Amino acid sequence: MVLVDTNVLLDLVLDDPVWANWSQTQLEIASAGNRLFINPVIYSELSVGFAPIEELDRFVDDARLTMLEIPRPALFLAGKAFLGYRKKSGTRTGVLPYFFIGAHAAVAGLPLLTRDRGRYSHYFPTVALIAPD
């Protein structure tokens, strides 16, 4: 079981010239022996790459991604981690989704396939990351 971060999926949807090949390869490796999951936050972020919802749902189905709800303990942890970020003079306001995703992976014990090693490893050190070095 692997939680797949939005950035990896958007690499494919938007055919990112730098990251699409890496993301495709990592998804193929991860799916060989695992089920791939997203959560409502990832789904919402992913929607920016699609016009109608039907296209997004088709992509999710074709990629064999299963939707997992975020458990309440993960929602609580996300809020606490975000508070820690803000107390350390974190000024970016659009980062809350990272905290929902990282907390979900931490509470559920899921490895996270992402390109964002830094923030996740700092705030959620127990999460096994599948990320570029």
Side-chain angles (χ1 to χ4, degrees):
M1 296 178 20
V2 175
L3 187 63
V4 182
D5 197 4
T6 313
N7 54 32
V8 171
L9 298 170
L10 281 177
D11 288 345
L12 303 180
V13 172
L14 303 176
D15 196 22
D16 185 279
V18 175
W19 290 106
N21 287 337
W22 182 89
S23 293
Q24 180 66 44
T25 300
Q26 295 307 312
L27 279 168
E28 289 171 4
I29 291 168
S31 68
N34 299 287
R35 290 181 62 196
L36 301 178
F37 294 97
I38 59 172
N39 63 32
V41 173
I42 296 165
Y43 182 91
S44 179
E45 288 185 313
L46 189 56
S47 72
V48 303
F50 298 88
I53 191 171
E54 293 81 8
E55 285 183 13
L56 172 55
D57 288 340
R58 191 172 314 111
F59 174 82
V60 168
D61 289 343
D62 289 348
R64 297 187 322 251
L65 300 166
T66 301
M67 179 77 75
L68 283 180
E69 292 304 317
I70 303 173
R72 284 181 44 206
L75 297 171
F76 184 83
L77 178 59
K80 294 301 180 185
F82 183 69
L83 180 62
Y85 165 79
R86 297 293 294 183
K87 284 183 177 179
K88 291 181 182 178
S89 301
T91 57
R92 293 182 59 197
T93 57
V95 297
L96 191 54
Y98 286 99
F99 291 98
F100 285 121
I101 294 166
H104 188 181
V107 167
L110 295 172
L112 178 62
L113 175 56
T114 183
R115 286 193 288 101
D116 190 358
R117 178 180 295 278
R119 187 174 295 129
Y120 289 121
S121 64
H122 179 76
Y123 288 98
F124 304 101
T126 62
V127 173
L129 297 176
I130 304 166
D133 292 327

